[in-house]
Amino acid sequence: MSANITSPNETSTHQYRLISILVAGMLGFTSLQSVAFDFKGALKDAVEKEISQQSESPTTPTDAASATETAKSNNTTASSETTFNWKNPSTAEEITLGREIAGNLLGAAPLVKDATLQKYVNSVGRWVASQSERPELPWRFGVIESEDLNAFAAPGGYIMLTKGLYRKLQNEAQLAGVLGHEIAHVVKKHQLKVLQKQQLLNIGAGLLSEKYAKDNVLISKAIGSGAEISARSLDKSAEYEADRLGLSYATRAGYEPYGLTDVLQTLGQSNTNDASVALLFKTHPHPDERLSALSESVGGQLDKMTNGKTLEKRFYLLK
């Protein structure tokens, strides 16, 4: 089950382009190796490009009628191109939706301004994700400015953990365990399935017109609710499944398998009245429950894993 661990800096470079449903002209990132989680930068570039194009081609009174007809035509085309298949979303749709949800989350808590930290976490995260059933996703990881102890996942491979939780970690195996848990949420599409159910129920109940069900107005509504879903509770069964799979991914990557359980024990010792863990305890089963569930499902199998690495000397310490 375990594998020889390699340096995070040896993670291979992938070229890809994300198909944007919501923002025309928004391109995906071209280098997984060098760019870490720059959602807000991508959005800013897209908006500036749109403004620039508009300023270069002003509409005059004489061609206003023509411009109106063109806009109607473009809106019709855009509507057909932005149809989101909630019943069975494609991988491209999942990625784009997750990207926008993550950007919304970053609006509330920006990334920690430490490029070395972000690159390091991305390298560890992608290595662990490569051991999962969906290694081909454009995985993105980031540490956000928050003293709370928590981590979040959005569909398509977008994962964030708070600076407060990162400071609680003592080695790379613990980081791998935490990221593995969030990776499992994405692999099993836990948040996406909640969104699908919510949107399909809305459509079926007639709360949204047929027109809105087919264009990006519905998708825009889903972004707000998606950010909320990423930060609130999933079913206990989903959290337990993510713990089991996350532990497995980290172990396959060559890490000490007890990394995640160490973190859960640390969180379990937190005062329940501590504001930094209030959201975590509200949205997740108590760490003691999660440890019990892991113990029942894994049994003594972890004792057989004797060559896992903790890599505390390589762990990046926040300044």
Side-chain angles (χ1 to χ4, degrees):
M1 188 175 180
S2 61
N4 290 331
I5 195 163
T6 61
S7 167
N9 293 327
E10 294 175 4
T11 305
S12 61
T13 300
H14 299 284
Q15 300 294 325
Y16 68 92
R17 175 177 295 180
L18 295 179
I19 302 173
S20 176
I21 291 176
L22 297 172
V23 184
M26 184 183 293
L27 298 180
F29 308 101
T30 59
S31 173
L32 289 178
Q33 181 72 20
S34 59
V35 185
F37 218 85
D38 189 17
F39 297 111
K40 298 176 80 174
L43 182 59
K44 178 175 179 291
D45 291 344
V47 173
E48 288 181 347
K49 180 179 179 181
E50 182 68 19
I51 293 173
S52 175
Q53 290 176 343
Q54 290 180 2
S55 64
E56 291 173 1
S57 304
T59 302
T60 63
T62 57
D63 61 12
S66 176
T68 299
E69 291 302 316
T70 300
K72 289 181 178 179
S73 176
N74 288 342
N75 286 339
T76 300
T77 302
S79 179
S80 64
E81 290 177 350
T82 58
T83 299
F84 193 96
N85 181 9
W86 284 109
K87 188 173 183 180
N88 186 26
S90 67
T91 300
E93 288 173 321
E94 179 190 354
I95 291 170
T96 304
L97 181 62
R99 180 181 183 182
E100 298 300 327
I101 290 171
N104 203 10
L105 287 170
L106 283 175
L111 290 169
V112 174
K113 293 182 179 180
D114 187 332
T116 303
L117 167 68
Q118 304 298 349
K119 183 176 180 180
Y120 170 69
V121 172
N122 269 266
S123 297
V124 173
R126 289 177 191 134
W127 172 237
V128 176
S130 72
Q131 311 301 314
S132 76
E133 294 82 1
R134 305 185 73 188
E136 76 286 349
L137 288 177
W139 294 94
R140 292 281 161 184
F141 303 83
V143 181
I144 59 175
E145 282 287 358
S146 172
E147 294 305 325
D148 285 354
L149 308 183
N150 219 330
F152 310 96
Y158 300 102
I159 292 170
M160 291 164 275
L161 68 156
T162 62
K163 182 169 68 174
L165 178 57
Y166 188 88
R167 288 192 186 280
K168 289 288 185 180
L169 306 180
Q170 299 178 336
N171 57 57
E172 195 170 296
Q174 293 179 358
L175 173 62
V178 170
L179 297 181
H181 172 93
E182 300 304 327
I183 288 167
H185 279 316
V186 175
V187 169
K188 290 299 180 179
K189 303 182 181 180
H190 289 152
Q191 285 88 352
L192 180 61
K193 288 175 181 176
V194 174
L195 270 175
Q196 283 179 270
K197 182 178 180 180
Q198 175 181 301
Q199 299 306 321
L200 290 173
L201 283 175
N202 286 346
I203 296 170
L207 298 178
L208 296 170
S209 70
E210 183 179 354
K211 173 181 178 297
Y212 287 154
K214 291 184 178 180
D215 65 24
N216 59 12
V217 173
L218 178 59
I219 302 172
S220 297
K221 290 177 179 293
I223 289 173
S225 59
E228 179 187 350
I229 288 168
S230 293
R232 67 184 172 114
S233 58
L234 295 168
D235 291 340
K236 280 189 176 183
S237 60
E239 295 297 346
Y240 296 153
E241 182 178 35
D243 282 340
R244 292 194 303 270
L245 288 176
L247 185 151
S248 175
Y249 298 155
T251 305
R252 290 179 194 171
Y255 291 103
E256 160 64 51
Y258 288 101
L260 178 59
T261 58
D262 287 346
V263 176
L264 290 176
Q265 287 176 345
T266 298
L267 294 175
Q269 295 169 1
S270 301
N271 189 323
T272 55
N273 295 322
D274 188 341
S276 67
V277 295
L279 180 60
L280 177 70
F281 286 176
K282 182 180 179 181
T283 59
H284 291 72
H286 191 277
D288 291 345
E289 294 181 44
R290 294 169 64 182
L291 285 168
S292 295
L294 264 178
S295 178
E296 290 179 10
S297 61
V298 177
Q301 295 182 43
L302 296 185
D303 296 332
K304 302 175 185 178
M305 308 299 172
T306 59
N307 59 345
K309 308 295 183 183
T310 55
L311 302 177
E312 58 273 4
K313 292 183 179 180
R314 192 167 72 179
F315 182 69
Y316 183 81
L317 296 176
L318 274 171
K319 299 179 178 64

